[in-house]
Amino acid sequence: MSQTIQRAAVIGSGVMGASIAAHLSNAGIPTLLLDLVPKELTEKEKERGLDVTDVSVRNRLATTAIEKLKKVNPAPFYDNKTAALITPGNIEDDLARIKEVDWVIEVVVENLAIKQSLYQQIERVWEPGTIVSSNTSGISINEMVSECGEEFKSHFLGTHFFNPPRYMKLLEVIPGEHTEPSVITTMQQFCEKQLGKKVVIAKDTPNFIANRIGTHGMLITLAEMLDKGYTIEEVDAVTGPAMGRPRSATFRTLDLVGIDTFYFVSNNMYEKLSDPAEKKLFKVPQLLEDVVANGWIGEKAGQGFYKKEKTSKGKQILSLNLSTYEYEEQSKPKGASLDASKAAKGAANKLKALMNGKDQYAEMAWNILKHTLIYSAEKVGEIADTIVEIDEAMKWGFNWELGPFETWDAIGLKSSVDRMEQEGLQIPAWVTEWIENGNESFYNKEQGSVFYYSDGAFNQLEQPPEEINLHALKAQNKTIIQNNGASLIDLGEGVACLEFHSPNNAIGADILTMIQQSMDEVRKNFNGMVIANQGRNFCVGANIMILLMEAQEEEWDEVDQIIRMFQQTMLSLKHFEKPVVAAPHRMALGGGVEVCLPADHITASAETYFGLVEAGVGLIPAGGGCKEYMLRLSSAFEKTEVDIQPEVNRLFETIATAKVSTSADDAKRLGYLRASDQVILNESHVIYEAKQAALRLATQPASAHHHSFDFQVPGREGKAVMQLGAMQMRLGGYASDHDVVIANKLAHVLAGGDVPPGTLVSEQYMLDLEREAFLSLCGEPKTQARMQHMLTTGKPLRN
């Protein structure tokens, strides 16, 4: 990197500015948050006898914004403690403090004159070399700094974050005419590595890439709906997962984003475009004018295209009838093409199944999609250099599973273009020329490498070394051994990766067998092993369907055998002589946690939701989860006189209430992860970083945990304290009778059974306690009911 970014300043403490500051603090970047000085005192300030010269008054907008961040849902912070890294201030008193930072981000109102005035103020106190950027979603980057000096312009660019910044991975970087290449490189590397973003380089055109294509697609969808008389529910049924789009589809997305925001973005396009035909596409329909005029602007107003209401049937989500403008009970659209899409696996197959239908929903999908594909093709070279930037912007900014050109490949490039031409549509010349030259797709995959269309030829897509792709490695014949549940893949440099690929990555006998076989292989031929995968979630736990079937048949020997196999595999993994690094991402629940616990080190994605959730299905952790956490607690306290009971109580409550972390940082706070475990903000870098950790560990002496030893437990007195806590929760109405049954079993295990406090026990003794408790709970009818409910609905049952 040509420059390091260690401190930042955000100017503008509205929702977006404050959220960007929060995410910078998530990355450990101290940040100055500045806003205007309030003109008037609040009633509370008057009561305290303050006046407008007081610092607390002058910094009020930024200070209030930081406090609000701690209460927002979904949470902008990984952990609210990081708010301490944000320093509030105001533009009048503190603008000169931008000399202390390496990056200044402007996030003020979308008004060109206001932005131009602010940049002239910034330039007066600006330290040459400091990078300055705007988070504008549509104003010209070059116009904003047109009155500034050449050196300032050379360090200025657009950095368009998507909302909410913590969760939305896309960051559009928009260079200006004078932006130095080294500044672009610095921002791209910093934002990808430190902030976990997927950076796409956009051109300085109205609404850049994602909002340009996304807004067009939304307006085409509205036009199709109004023309054919479809309902809101019908449009959302087609434009959600059936088309490889998010579940929020069209109208739920508009409610979440804010219909007024979408209205503004559409109008911005309409005003800035000069081509009459294109301008017409962005004309806001009367429907949007009406709902905005009514104040029905989405979730923030309590109603938009959908509205939550208490009815005689309880809380319901009603939808807007576009004929009467009344909210009505939703109707569920039914159609053969929707059914076919639902039954298909994978985004490409779902889309093909939908498009191949013969009903009105297949027709709707085609009429929306054909215009989106053509428009995307027309904009190549204008809004972005290649098809790759457009595809990635839509995937990361709008959560499409396939970008426009990947979509075109999925439905058949040549056949779809033939159909478009038969319907009289004008296809961009470069697309027809590409097809005439014998090409049948925009992308081509060969032996794990990806090639894409660019300037009339296939070009290889360069993968950064930090982005290890397991699918590509398998295509390069790097699989060492495999079965239906898992594979062992060669990552190079003497490190192998154990990848789960069972349904939902749930742990069954095939995965446990592969763990054992992988240890044999790594022992002989490798220096270390990473446990990771690139599924939607790392692992949602053990396969409870098999457990439930065996329990219902009262095959207790079989259940016992399943648990023993899990326990012994995890114990072998814990005492394995080669380094093991677990690399969880997204949901790592129940058995998914217990697979990570034996590892020497955990390299977790920042967005890892970690938790021992067995109580939700009427059970307790029995793959070593209880044992492992008690061993850690005992190790921490064995050399001191500190009472271990408060920490045991905290652990007991965390497991008994099936608490799941809201991030990897939160998993550390809950005690699920150790302080030494690593958190990586960019999910696509996690396997690479885990590999580096395995290489480092391979050069160090074997960890002490490779040897079995006895450890202290709280015993019968500790058990009584935990059971009392469970009973208090029952009396307070926070727990059911069956919750107390489960909690008592858990207390027995965590306490080490009915032994005197401080008794030394072995790992195997604790595993035996776990297994006995687990088996007895499997026999409980209410536990079996919880397991059945989870399998049927995907939700926990409180009984």
Side-chain angles (χ1 to χ4, degrees):
M1 274 172 70
S2 53
Q3 184 175 341
T4 57
I5 292 173
Q6 296 176 326
R7 303 179 72 83
V10 175
I11 302 178
S13 70
V15 171
M16 198 63 189
S19 299
I20 291 170
H23 194 58
L24 288 164
S25 75
N26 286 336
I29 306 294
T31 302
L32 187 63
L33 182 62
L34 307 182
D35 210 317
L36 297 170
V37 174
K39 291 186 169 58
E40 294 177 356
L41 295 172
T42 64
E43 289 305 315
K44 281 188 178 178
E45 286 167 343
K46 288 175 186 173
E47 286 169 15
R48 289 170 58 200
L50 301 176
D51 65 35
V52 289
T53 63
D54 282 289
V55 172
S56 64
V57 175
R58 295 178 72 77
N59 293 347
R60 186 214 308 145
L61 293 181
T63 304
T64 305
I66 295 166
E67 288 309 307
K68 276 185 184 171
L69 285 169
K70 297 174 186 176
K71 298 165 190 165
V72 171
N73 188 23
F77 292 115
Y78 295 147
D79 186 327
N80 279 347
K81 286 180 184 173
T82 57
L85 286 172
I86 307 175
T87 303
N90 69 77
I91 294 169
E92 285 181 28
D93 303 330
D94 303 305
L95 194 61
R97 291 189 62 188
I98 66 169
K99 289 178 185 289
E100 303 165 15
V101 308
D102 309 297
W103 179 21
V104 178
I105 313 160
E106 168 269 306
V107 200
V108 302
V109 64
E110 290 285 84
N111 178 298
L112 178 60
I114 289 172
K115 288 180 187 284
Q116 286 176 329
S117 170
L118 177 61
Y119 284 118
Q120 287 165 32
Q121 289 180 64
I122 290 171
E123 188 177 18
R124 286 196 282 272
V125 295
W126 176 70
E127 190 77 26
T130 303
I131 295 171
V132 181
S133 73
S134 173
N135 183 62
T136 182
S137 58
I139 294 177
S140 168
I141 299 302
N142 293 309
E143 282 183 45
M144 280 191 276
V145 291
S146 57
E147 301 301 313
C148 295
E150 293 301 307
E151 191 175 5
F152 186 85
K153 287 178 183 176
S154 73
H155 285 77
F156 180 73
L157 72 169
T159 51
H160 179 215
F161 287 81
F162 277 65
N163 193 26
R166 169 183 162 181
Y167 301 94
M168 295 300 290
K169 296 300 178 191
L170 179 64
L171 177 69
E172 291 176 324
V173 166
I174 311 101
E177 288 173 10
H178 305 281
T179 312
E180 282 184 10
S182 63
V183 170
I184 302 166
T185 303
T186 294
M187 289 313 299
Q188 183 160 12
Q189 291 181 357
F190 172 79
C191 292
E192 287 189 346
K193 190 169 177 63
Q194 301 300 117
L195 299 186
K197 295 295 167 194
K198 184 68 181 176
V199 172
V200 170
I201 306 296
K203 292 180 181 287
D204 189 15
T205 55
N207 286 16
F208 314 127
I209 303 173
N211 279 342
R212 181 79 168 261
I213 302 294
T215 304
H216 171 271
M218 289 273 196
L219 290 169
I220 287 291
T221 303
L222 288 170
E224 177 69 9
M225 178 185 75
L226 295 169
D227 181 48
K228 301 289 194 331
Y230 291 117
T231 65
I232 282 170
E233 297 98 311
E234 286 179 312
V235 172
D236 276 358
V238 170
T239 60
M243 281 179 74
R245 310 278 173 84
R247 289 189 186 281
S248 54
T250 298
F251 292 103
R252 181 82 182 105
T253 298
L254 284 170
D255 279 0
L256 288 167
V257 168
I259 299 165
D260 55 336
T261 303
F262 178 72
Y263 180 88
F264 169 80
V265 170
S266 302
N267 263 339
N268 184 50
M269 285 298 307
Y270 182 77
E271 288 165 9
K272 290 188 175 177
L273 293 169
S274 52
D275 175 28
E278 187 177 4
K279 199 177 180 76
K280 189 179 173 186
L281 296 173
F282 287 89
K283 181 82 175 78
V284 174
Q286 188 61 44
L287 167 64
L288 281 189
E289 300 268 7
D290 291 344
V291 293
V292 170
N294 288 341
W296 303 345
I297 56 173
E299 199 163 86
K300 59 190 172 187
Q303 65 189 98
F305 289 109
Y306 291 102
K307 180 183 182 182
K308 271 186 193 169
E309 224 173 56
K310 282 184 181 174
T311 69
S312 56
K313 297 179 181 179
K315 267 191 181 176
Q316 277 190 294
I317 298 176
L318 308 176
S319 63
L320 187 65
N321 181 317
L322 301 178
S323 302
T324 63
Y325 277 24
E326 298 287 333
Y327 288 94
E328 298 175 352
E329 195 171 322
Q330 291 185 59
S331 59
K332 192 167 184 181
K334 288 187 170 66
S337 61
L338 292 175
D339 290 341
S341 176
K342 199 169 185 179
K345 299 289 183 191
N349 291 327
K350 283 182 180 296
L351 184 58
K352 275 191 279 193
L354 176 68
M355 303 292 280
N356 290 338
K358 303 296 181 191
D359 58 18
Q360 74 270 33
Y361 300 129
E363 182 191 2
M364 186 207 301
W366 169 251
N367 286 341
I368 292 168
L369 206 52
K370 65 187 180 185
H371 294 296
T372 301
L373 300 181
I374 290 172
Y375 188 72
S376 299
E378 288 171 348
K379 296 300 137 194
V380 175
E382 180 186 333
I383 64 174
D385 284 331
T386 72
I387 66 170
V388 175
E389 285 88 0
I390 293 175
D391 276 350
E392 293 198 333
M394 297 318 298
K395 287 193 291 185
W396 295 101
F398 275 71
N399 290 325
W400 291 8
E401 290 203 44
L402 301 168
F405 298 97
E406 292 172 324
T407 296
W408 221 331
D409 283 356
I411 64 171
L413 175 58
K414 189 174 186 311
S415 59
S416 61
V417 167
D418 287 345
R419 185 177 172 185
M420 290 171 189
E421 288 178 330
Q422 285 165 16
E423 293 177 10
L425 294 171
Q426 185 70 40
I427 312 297
W430 71 266
V431 176
T432 51
E433 189 180 315
W434 181 244
I435 295 169
E436 284 165 5
N437 288 341
N439 297 293
E440 296 181 2
S441 65
F442 292 116
Y443 290 91
N444 190 13
K445 292 179 181 177
E446 293 176 17
Q447 295 182 323
S449 294
V450 178
F451 298 83
Y452 66 97
Y453 166 88
S454 181
D455 295 328
F458 274 121
N459 287 264
Q460 187 169 352
L461 187 62
E462 295 298 326
Q463 280 296 114
E466 295 88 359
E467 293 187 13
I468 292 174
N469 185 311
L470 297 180
H471 184 75
L473 289 175
K474 288 194 279 190
Q476 294 163 20
N477 299 315
K478 298 290 186 183
T479 304
I480 304 155
I481 46 174
Q482 65 178 357
N483 65 19
N484 287 336
S487 299
L488 188 69
I489 303 162
D490 188 351
L491 296 181
E493 299 181 81
V495 179
C497 177
L498 176 64
E499 176 207 30
F500 300 167
H501 44 67
S502 62
N504 293 321
N505 290 337
I507 299 167
D510 46 7
I511 285 181
L512 296 174
T513 300
M514 184 52 61
I515 293 173
Q516 292 163 352
Q517 291 176 355
S518 295
M519 284 190 282
D520 290 339
E521 185 66 34
V522 171
R523 185 179 285 114
K524 287 184 282 191
N525 299 314
F526 290 86
N527 298 321
M529 181 166 74
V530 168
I531 302 175
N533 64 70
Q534 290 171 322
R536 187 180 295 274
N537 295 303
F538 174 75
C539 175
V540 295
N543 189 333
I544 62 170
M545 184 182 287
I546 293 170
L547 276 172
L548 178 61
M549 285 166 55
E550 300 290 5
Q552 287 173 336
E553 294 293 325
E554 298 189 2
E555 295 285 356
W556 303 121
D557 286 347
E558 290 295 324
V559 177
D560 184 67
Q561 189 55 41
I562 291 168
I563 308 165
R564 282 179 189 274
M565 185 182 184
F566 196 170
Q567 288 184 340
Q568 294 313 308
T569 303
M570 295 305 104
L571 198 58
S572 299
L573 194 62
K574 178 179 173 61
H575 298 300
F576 187 47
E577 60 271 26
K578 297 288 179 78
V580 176
V581 178
H585 67 280
R586 298 284 159 174
M587 286 200 282
L589 305 175
V593 171
E594 290 177 308
V595 164
C596 294
L597 294 180
D600 298 273
H601 181 77
I602 297 176
T603 297
S605 161
E607 298 297 343
T608 297
Y609 314 123
F610 214 70
L612 292 169
V613 296
E614 286 82 355
V617 287
L619 298 167
I620 67 152
C626 298
K627 177 265 297 184
E628 195 61 32
Y629 282 119
M630 284 310 301
L631 193 154
R632 287 183 186 181
L633 283 183
S634 299
S635 300
F637 287 101
E638 65 184 2
K639 294 176 184 174
T640 71
E641 297 300 317
V642 178
D643 179 16
I644 193 174
Q645 192 65 48
E647 287 302 313
V648 174
N649 294 346
R650 196 162 75 96
L651 174 63
F652 169 71
E653 184 189 337
T654 299
I655 299 175
T657 57
K659 206 172 280 184
V660 177
S661 74
T662 55
S663 66
D665 281 3
D666 190 45
K668 286 192 175 187
R669 184 185 66 79
L670 290 171
Y672 281 138
L673 296 181
R674 296 162 293 207
S676 58
D677 289 327
Q678 197 176 4
V679 177
I680 305 298
L681 269 70
N682 193 321
E683 194 171 294
S684 57
H685 293 184
V686 169
I687 295 177
Y688 171 84
E689 294 295 347
K691 177 186 171 183
Q692 302 313 305
L695 289 170
R696 285 193 300 273
L697 288 169
T699 65
Q700 296 169 11
S703 167
H705 89 209
H706 291 148
H707 308 290
S708 200
F709 55 87
D710 294 344
F711 56 97
Q712 289 183 19
V713 288
R716 64 176 76 94
E717 290 179 15
K719 174 180 169 181
V721 172
M722 287 183 268
Q723 289 179 328
L724 179 62
M727 188 49 65
Q728 285 172 336
M729 288 191 73
R730 177 71 189 97
L731 293 171
Y734 298 108
S736 68
D737 287 338
H738 193 53
D739 289 331
V740 175
V741 170
I742 300 160
N744 285 339
K745 297 281 187 187
L746 177 63
H748 182 75
V749 174
L750 294 179
D754 292 312
V755 296
T759 298
L760 288 172
V761 299
S762 68
E763 288 187 79
Q764 189 57 56
Y765 170 85
M766 289 292 282
L767 290 174
D768 291 342
L769 287 181
E770 283 187 8
R771 194 174 66 258
E772 288 162 11
F774 190 95
L775 274 165
S776 68
L777 286 167
C778 278
E780 294 274 352
K782 286 189 175 181
T783 284
Q784 292 181 18
R786 287 190 180 195
M787 293 165 81
Q788 185 71 60
H789 192 267
M790 179 62 77
L791 287 167
T792 308
T793 68
K795 294 174 183 174
L797 171 69
R798 292 296 301 277
N799 58 354

